[in-house]
Amino acid sequence: MSKSVLFKSLFVTCSLSVLGSVISAHAEDIVISGPQNATVVLDGGDTLTITKDGIIEPPSGDEGVVSTGGNNEVLNNGTVRTEGFSALGIYNENSDNSPVTNSGTVRTEGERAYGIRNESSDYSPVTNSGTVRTEGERAYGIYNIFSSNSPVTN
């Protein structure tokens, strides 16, 4: 095993055991095909696929999916569920060229909750053919702000 592969394996293993409630990836493909009770973080060049049986449901107040760093892709065919103040189902922040496609379900509950929030992410379209449901005061289903050339198709 090469040093770089060994380091990558050790880094990912250590990240999972130390962070506990956050899964972080480094230029990888992540597939969620069952229950996941931690935030999934994409930090550049990553692809996340949530299958029809995949469920992301982090602890109250945590985000479901966070995409930063650019060149990520989020494909949700399953369920992302969050709750709490300013709950975020899928948060695409400062992540240019990072499309979000939802054909599953995104559900958030709480004051200022966001189903999908696309913020400061240029060339990052949001396509929804599924369900985005929010409950709470000043809650938004799909919120697209400061993101040039990032259309929302619903």
Side-chain angles (χ1 to χ4, degrees):
M1 181 179 282
S2 73
K3 286 183 182 179
S4 65
V5 172
L6 179 60
F7 174 75
K8 190 174 194 178
S9 296
L10 288 173
F11 179 77
V12 171
T13 302
C14 291
S15 295
L16 293 175
S17 63
V18 172
L19 298 177
S21 66
V22 175
I23 292 180
S24 182
H26 298 279
E28 292 192 18
D29 293 338
I30 302 169
V31 177
I32 304 294
S33 58
Q36 170 63 48
N37 55 3
T39 300
V40 177
V41 177
L42 309 178
D43 59 4
D46 300 323
T47 299
L48 169 64
T49 302
I50 306 164
T51 69
K52 66 178 180 62
D53 296 322
I55 300 171
I56 296 176
E57 191 169 12
S60 181
D62 288 354
E63 298 91 351
V65 176
V66 176
S67 170
T68 63
N71 301 305
N72 295 311
E73 184 172 14
V74 177
L75 305 164
N76 179 35
N77 299 302
T79 302
V80 178
R81 214 177 348 215
T82 61
E83 64 178 36
F85 180 80
S86 195
L88 294 160
I90 299 172
Y91 188 28
N92 203 32
E93 177 191 32
N94 295 316
S95 193
D96 295 345
N97 303 304
S98 297
V100 174
T101 303
N102 177 54
S103 58
T105 300
V106 178
R107 182 173 182 202
T108 59
E109 296 179 36
E111 184 179 346
R112 296 184 186 172
Y114 296 88
I116 300 171
R117 184 173 174 142
N118 196 43
E119 181 177 351
S120 302
S121 296
D122 298 339
Y123 302 97
S124 299
V126 175
T127 304
N128 178 51
S129 62
T131 301
V132 178
R133 180 178 171 198
T134 58
E135 292 181 28
E137 189 175 327
R138 296 189 297 195
Y140 298 91
I142 299 173
Y143 190 78
N144 193 25
I145 186 167
F146 307 123
S147 298
S148 299
N149 298 302
S150 298
V152 173
T153 303
N154 192 19

